[in-house]
Amino acid sequence: MRRRRPFRGAVLVGFMGSGKSVVGRELAKRLGAGFVDLDERIEASAGMTVSEIFARAGEAAFREMERDAVREAAAVPGRVIAAGGGAFLDPANRERLKGYGPVIYLEVSPETVLERLSGDRSRPLLSGAAEEKERAVRELMARRDASYRMADFTVRADGGTVAWVVDRVAELLRRGGEG
Ligand code: S3P
C-alpha cells in the first residue's frame, strides 16, 4: 500500500460564488485539518466587513490587508485555505500560496455566479444593478481566468453538490500523495 505523506495544506481559489469557503470548510473537516477563510481573517482583524473596508478605505487598502492575511495564513502548514476571489491575482500572493500546497481552482460559469449571488450584498465589486452586475461578472471572469489557471488543478464546481466537489478535490490531493 502506498504510504500517504502528511497533509501539507491546500488552497482553494476561484471567482466569487465558486464555493471556496463552503467546499474548503467541508474538505478540512474531511481531512481533519484546520480551515482558514482569508476574508474572515481580514474582517476579524479589521473589525469591519469586506464591504465596509472597500467603502471606507478603498480596494487598495483591502488588497494590502489581503496580502498580510495570505502571509499569516501561509505561515502555518497543514490547513485548508480559502482565498478571496482576487487574492490569487497578485503575483506575490500567488507565489506564496503555490508554495504552501496544491492550489485548486474551483471553476464556475458566469451564469452560476449570477444565480448564486443574485441577492448578495456582500461583494463590493458586484454591487451594481442586475445588468451592471452581469457585465462585471463576465468582464472580471474573463480577465482573471488566466491567473486562476495558474493553479495546480482545476475542478468544475457548478455541476454537482458540495459533497461531490469535495470528493473531487480530495481525490486530486490523494492522487498527488497528499491527504
Ligand atoms: C473579491 C472576492 C471576495 C472578497 C472581496 C473581493 C474579488 O471574496 O475578497 O469582495 O476580488 O474577487 P469571495 O471570493 O470569497 O467572494
Side-chain angles (χ1 to χ4, degrees):
M1 205 174 82
R2 190 158 56 105
R3 175 98 36 101
R4 281 186 198 153
R5 269 180 274 152
F7 178 61
R8 199 161 55 103
V11 182
L12 299 180
V13 302
F15 205 76
M16 293 169 265
S18 59
K20 303 176 296 284
S21 303
V22 62
V23 169
R25 194 165 274 118
E26 273 310 302
L27 179 69
K29 215 185 278 172
R30 172 98 60 101
L31 298 172
F35 173 67
V36 186
D37 183 290
L38 290 184
D39 284 340
E40 269 176 20
R41 289 296 164 109
I42 295 166
E43 290 185 334
S45 64
M48 284 187 266
T49 64
V50 170
S51 296
E52 285 167 344
I53 299 170
F54 268 69
R56 292 185 198 170
E59 181 172 354
F62 172 78
R63 298 298 174 198
E64 197 66 49
M65 295 176 194
E66 186 168 59
R67 268 192 290 276
D68 290 345
V70 168
R71 198 177 311 114
E72 282 169 27
V76 183
R79 306 194 290 199
V80 175
I81 299 177
F88 202 59
L89 309 178
D90 175 87
N93 287 345
R94 208 155 53 219
E95 197 182 318
R96 217 169 237 127
L97 293 172
K98 287 196 66 137
Y100 184 72
V103 178
I104 297 104
Y105 168 31
L106 300 186
E107 186 182 19
V108 289
S109 67
E111 290 73 22
T112 297
V113 172
L114 288 163
E115 193 188 308
R116 288 186 185 168
L117 301 185
S118 71
D120 180 83
R121 318 256 315 147
S122 69
R123 268 73 171 200
L125 295 180
L126 304 178
S127 61
E131 225 172 88
E132 204 183 314
K133 187 166 176 170
E134 174 161 3
R135 191 164 0 101
V137 167
R138 291 186 191 281
E139 276 179 18
L140 274 176
M141 213 181 245
R143 208 178 317 141
R144 290 174 168 194
D145 190 65
S147 299
Y148 292 148
R149 291 201 182 283
M150 292 180 199
D152 301 296
F153 303 105
T154 299
V155 169
R156 212 52 246 182
D158 48 11
T161 60
V162 169
W164 185 89
V165 179
V166 172
D167 282 348
R168 298 284 79 70
V169 176
E171 171 66 21
L172 284 170
L173 296 178
R174 253 196 315 275
R175 270 199 262 141
E178 329 246 349

